[in-house]
Amino acid sequence: QSNVAWTFDTVADMKLGTNLVNGSFAQTLGFYSINDGGGAIYKISNTGTANEMDVIAINDLYATIVNPENVKQFGAKGDGTNDDTASIQKAIDTISTVNIPTGTFMIDGSTPITMNSGNRLLLANDAILKAIPTDATSYRIIDINDVDDVTIIGGCISGERDEHTGSTGEWGRCISIRGDSTNINIENIKLIKSWGDGLTIAGCKDVNLNDLYIDNNRRNGISVISAENLFANNITIKNTNGTDPQAGIDFEPDGATEKLINVV
């Protein structure tokens, strides 16, 4: 049995398996349903810590995913309803290159997707990370803070200004790059409908922005508070409206230690 990969329709079916033993393998054809994009191969062992994302409890055994690639293998649904924050974060914390397939993945901006050094987040053209409606004055959908060598490419990051349940504040952000982050690359992405900025850059070095479409954000398209070696190419910013300063790009250092050096 340890040399056989038992196949199950879903993770729920695998949890009911009776022929799995320590050292064997299991294959699922989907996470919640067949062909939902979450199918994976698991190694079965008698030790582990279950989280029901990449490590699944099966009676007194544990199934640990082997060579994961996309967030649906960690339980993200992408149905526009379910909160997928924890599943996406677990994928980012587990593998360096994370794929976001087609779908609308709901994100809790109070506990944003937090990038790690060396992460590559690759979104399908029709993949959307969308903020869950809130009354919070501030949120981040993706947070890049004190990390190096991060790349985000493709898809759409959408705020919730059309569904926002409060009326105050101006600091909701699609993407926030901050701290002493270096070598950050953001490419071919739509940043839309934030309660505040499409993109905020604060205290970073070597930031490259390419082929961005930034639309209908409430405060600014891009806010640059502090940056060194910031290169932006082929950026479309439109329809910024709602609360001042309502700029396409607003350069707004707040203090004497903040700087704008070599910005193109």
Side-chain angles (χ1 to χ4, degrees), residues 194-225:
S194 175
W195 188 244
D197 299 340
L199 172 64
T200 300
I201 299 170
C204 311
K205 184 177 180 180
D206 301 327
V207 177
N208 292 283
L209 312 175
N210 288 284
D211 302 317
L212 304 187
Y213 179 87
I214 302 174
D215 186 21
N216 195 22
N217 295 286
R218 185 167 168 267
R219 183 176 182 272
N220 289 319
I222 300 176
S223 291
V224 184
I225 298 170

Side-chain angles (χ1 to χ4, degrees), residues 49-96:
T49 302
N51 55 35
E52 303 308 310
M53 289 181 280
D54 62 326
V55 182
I56 310 297
I58 307 174
N59 297 320
D60 57 348
L61 297 172
Y62 300 89
T64 302
I65 196 169
V66 177
N67 294 329
E69 296 179 349
N70 76 77
V71 297
K72 287 196 169 184
Q73 294 172 311
F74 290 79
K77 290 186 174 180
D79 58 3
T81 301
N82 186 69
D83 183 350
D84 288 319
T85 310
S87 294
I88 295 176
Q89 187 63 57
K90 185 61 181 177
I92 287 172
D93 291 342
T94 303
I95 52 180
S96 58

Side-chain angles (χ1 to χ4, degrees), residues 171-247:
W171 303 284
R173 303 169 178 94
C174 291
I175 298 179
S176 175
I177 308 172
R178 60 196 181 104
D180 292 322
S181 295
T182 61
N183 193 24
I184 309 300
N185 300 286
I186 311 294
E187 303 178 22
N188 191 30
I189 298 178
K190 295 179 180 178
L191 305 175
I192 64 173
K193 299 182 179 180
S194 175
W195 188 244
D197 299 340
L199 172 64
T200 300
I201 299 170
C204 311
K205 184 177 180 180
D206 301 327
V207 177
N208 292 283
L209 312 175
N210 288 284
D211 302 317
L212 304 187
Y213 179 87
I214 302 174
D215 186 21
N216 195 22
N217 295 286
R218 185 167 168 267
R219 183 176 182 272
N220 289 319
I222 300 176
S223 291
V224 184
I225 298 170
S226 182
E228 181 175 356
N229 303 333
L230 167 62
F231 177 78
N233 178 63
N234 195 29
I235 313 297
T236 297
I237 307 175
K238 59 194 295 189
N239 299 322
T240 305
N241 68 94
T243 189
D244 287 339
Q246 303 180 73

Side-chain angles (χ1 to χ4, degrees), residues 20 29 78 89 102 109 114 118 120 129 146 151 203 218 239 251 257:
L20 297 172
L29 302 180
Q89 187 63 57
T102 297
T114 302
R120 286 171 51 85
L129 299 183
D146 279 331
T151 297
R218 185 167 168 267
N239 299 322
F251 296 94
T257 62

Side-chain angles (χ1 to χ4, degrees), residues 143-185:
D143 193 23
I144 302 171
N145 182 25
D146 279 331
V147 292
D148 306 315
D149 303 317
V150 170
T151 297
I152 303 175
I153 300 176
C156 176
I157 315 297
S158 175
E160 43 68 86
R161 67 169 297 171
D162 294 342
E163 304 88 10
H164 194 76
T165 57
S167 58
T168 60
E170 57 189 56
W171 303 284
R173 303 169 178 94
C174 291
I175 298 179
S176 175
I177 308 172
R178 60 196 181 104
D180 292 322
S181 295
T182 61
N183 193 24
I184 309 300
N185 300 286

